[in-house]
Each structure stands twice: as structure tokens, then as C-alpha cells.
Amino acid sequence: MITEEKQDKVFTRDFFRKVGKAIHDYRLIGDGDRVLVGISGGKDSLALLEVLAMRAKDPKQDYTVIAAHIAVEDVSYEVDSDYLRAFCERLGVEYVYRTIRLDMTVNPKKPACFVCSWHRRKMLFDIAKEYDCKKLALGHHRDDAVESLMMSMIFNGTICSMPPRLEMFKNTFTLIRPLIYLSNDETLRYAEMRQFKKQKKHCPHEKATNRDAVSKLIDRMEAVSPHARSNLFASMRNIREEYLP
């Protein structure tokens, strides 16, 4: 009989293996890299930071991890910054904390989530430049990529998503997503096993977005085809252009 402890060890080993496979398949991290990890305080970014930091301690690895949290003053969600700082200290990772305010006049017709994400991403780019990090790692996983694919098709009439590796600024900077082979359920299980502390107060906009609606739509698709999510993800690398208009 396999004990729960044994199951957890097997799951953790597989979790790390999938991250390592993504890094290898897409050449996400190389020797000497300085990688900035954006941490929101949610399960995905904390899992990403922990795995990358623990991998970096392997003598066979040669890269440096720095973590950054961007607090948005005029959005009513709360993250325990002291917990994030202690989390980083335990991992031996430098922690950078910055605050911003949203300027809704820049894109007045855009939803709050878009504007918030844009401002936080811009600050992360600034921090990456300040700390000489040529790579920015974000905690998006497979389900995020699938939802983005569906959103692009439904709302924009385009086929695009979240690439595991995105070259930016004339190939001088790279955005990476090492969790791309992991599902939301897997990151949730990992966070529960590791007993990550949850956010004090979640963003009031997170359940009122197109992303949430599309996620529920895919849930209904899985009721028809249990492999809907994984097949949608696989389809992005199996495009048959000869059968498209």
C-alpha cells in the first residue's frame, strides 16, 4: 500500500520534473542568468519561486534568482509582505518590494485588470533592468495558456496565447513561464502540501473578468470531453495550416 507521504514525494518529484522539462524544452534558463521572479503572493508565483530557488542550489545549476512583489495601492486586495519577505529569506532569495498606483487615464476604456497588469508588468521590467536581470519569470501555467487561447479566439478573432518563452526589446530581454507544463490543480496541490499562506484579501475584480467566464466555459467542455484542456494546449503545437482558411 502506497502511503500518503510516498504519494506526496512522487507528486513533488513529478512537479519539479515538469518544471525542469519546460526549462530544457524551451531553453528558459541558461548558465549565468539572473532571473527576476514576479511574485503576487498567490499559489502559482510562490510555487514558481520555490522551485526555481531550490533548483538553483543544485551544483549543476548556475543562475541567480531574485523575487519582486508589486503592491497596488488603489486596488483593495492585501498580501502579507512580511510573509513574502520571510519566504524569500528562507529560500536565500533577495526580495524587492515596490508600490504603484493605477493611472486609469492611460487606457480609460480598458478594464481594471488590464490596466493593473500593465502597470505591474512595467514596474517588473524596471526592476529587472535595475538588478541586471535579463529574464523575467511569471507563474502562468498550462490552464492560463489555454484560457488565453480561448479568449483570443472568442473576443479578438486571433489565435495566440502565452508562450513559454517570449523575446522582447529587440531580443535583449526574455519573459519565461517555467510552469507551462503544469495544471492549476497541480499548483494548487503543491501549494497545499507546502502550506503556503493565502492572501489576506483577494482582488475584487478577479471573478468579474472574461478569463473567469472562459474558465467556466472550459469546465463545461471538460464535461463533454475530459481531456479538453490538455487537448487545447496540445493543439497550439499541432497547427495544420493547410486545413485553415
Side-chain angles (χ1 to χ4, degrees):
M1 180 178 179
I2 301 177
T3 64
E4 183 176 347
E5 181 180 3
K6 177 65 173 178
Q7 290 177 336
D8 288 346
K9 286 183 178 180
V10 171
F11 170 79
T12 301
R13 184 167 61 247
D14 190 57
F15 194 93
F16 273 70
R17 181 189 63 78
K18 288 182 178 179
V19 174
K21 179 173 171 53
I23 291 173
H24 175 268
D25 288 353
Y26 296 102
R27 300 175 292 106
L28 301 185
I29 300 176
D31 289 345
D33 278 345
R34 291 174 60 81
V35 183
L36 181 68
V37 181
I39 54 172
S40 65
K43 62 178 178 59
D44 302 325
S45 61
L46 292 183
L48 172 63
L49 177 62
E50 183 167 88
V51 173
L52 291 187
M54 293 178 71
R55 289 183 82 257
K57 294 178 181 180
D58 187 329
K60 297 179 182 178
Q61 303 295 329
D62 178 25
Y63 66 89
T64 302
V65 176
I66 297 172
H69 173 68
I70 313 301
V72 185
E73 293 180 346
D74 42 354
V75 174
S76 58
Y77 77 95
E78 292 183 50
V79 174
D80 189 338
S81 182
D82 290 337
Y83 171 74
L84 295 183
R85 186 178 300 278
F87 187 85
C88 291
E89 288 178 354
R90 176 176 61 80
L91 293 171
V93 171
E94 184 172 359
Y95 174 63
V96 181
Y97 176 85
R98 299 286 166 82
T99 61
I100 61 172
R101 293 186 65 83
L102 298 187
D103 183 2
M104 294 299 295
T105 62
V106 174
N107 293 289
K109 296 183 180 181
K110 296 290 185 179
C113 290
F114 175 88
V115 177
C116 181
S117 177
W118 187 87
H119 278 77
R120 285 187 289 113
R121 190 75 56 87
K122 183 176 182 299
M123 177 57 75
L124 287 172
F125 289 150
D126 290 343
I127 294 172
K129 184 177 180 180
E130 179 182 345
Y131 283 80
D132 193 30
C133 297
K134 302 300 183 185
K135 291 183 177 176
L136 170 63
L138 301 178
H140 299 128
H141 48 61
R142 185 197 68 184
D143 292 356
D144 291 324
V146 169
E147 290 163 10
S148 291
L149 170 68
M150 295 293 290
M151 289 170 65
S152 295
M153 295 172 68
I154 293 171
F155 298 108
N156 299 326
T158 60
I159 297 178
C160 62
S161 182
M162 294 177 169
R165 178 188 177 104
L166 178 63
E167 302 293 343
M168 306 181 70
F169 309 131
K170 297 181 179 179
N171 295 329
T172 62
F173 184 82
T174 309
L175 190 153
I176 61 175
R177 296 181 171 97
L179 300 185
I180 199 67
Y181 286 154
L182 291 158
S183 69
N184 181 66
D185 287 344
E186 287 173 309
T187 61
L188 176 60
R189 179 177 174 183
Y190 184 85
E192 290 175 343
M193 285 173 50
R194 302 294 295 154
Q195 297 181 326
F196 290 163
K197 187 174 182 179
K198 295 182 179 180
Q199 297 177 10
K200 290 182 177 180
K201 184 178 181 181
H202 289 274
C203 176
H205 303 290
E206 65 181 18
K207 292 298 182 182
T209 65
N210 287 336
R211 182 171 294 277
D212 186 61
V214 167
S215 178
K216 292 177 180 177
L217 173 62
I218 299 174
D219 286 341
R220 292 196 291 272
M221 293 170 65
E222 283 191 313
V224 177
S225 173
H227 301 293
R229 269 189 170 82
S230 58
N231 284 341
L232 284 168
F233 181 75
S235 73
M236 288 186 275
R237 295 201 295 175
N238 189 27
I239 298 174
R240 299 183 179 182
E241 294 185 13
E242 66 271 25
Y243 291 105
L244 294 176

